[in-house]
Amino acid sequence: MTEQEYYLICLIEECAEVAQRCSKALRFSLEEVQPGQALSNADRILQEYYDLKSMIKMLQSEGHLPIWSKERRNS
């Protein structure tokens, strides 16, 4: 497995974790705190989002993903 493949698998996992947290929030509410957890579903969504964001930044810093810019968006 290449470094790029490894990072992309990690990115997939982080995306899935964000989706799972959103699904839990829809089913049980943003305010719900699952047994054995200290954080609400809303807090856990944000936690997973920041993990996802970190993974994207890592892929960018390693040169696997481009840095997004206003110019790139308009092309």
Side-chain angles (χ1 to χ4, degrees), residues 13-60:
E13 291 171 354
E14 293 304 335
C15 288
E17 290 172 10
V18 170
Q20 180 188 32
R21 277 292 117 213
C22 290
S23 176
K24 296 277 185 184
L26 282 171
R27 288 178 26 210
F28 302 110
S29 86
L30 286 167
E31 295 78 26
E32 186 232 12
V33 177
Q34 289 181 301
Q37 295 293 322
L39 302 174
S40 69
N41 285 326
D43 292 328
R44 292 177 75 187
I45 288 170
L46 285 175
Q47 189 176 46
E48 295 301 344
Y49 166 74
Y50 288 118
D51 289 348
L52 172 61
K53 193 173 172 182
S54 295
M55 202 63 238
I56 289 173
K57 285 184 177 193
M58 187 177 298
L59 278 157
Q60 289 172 323

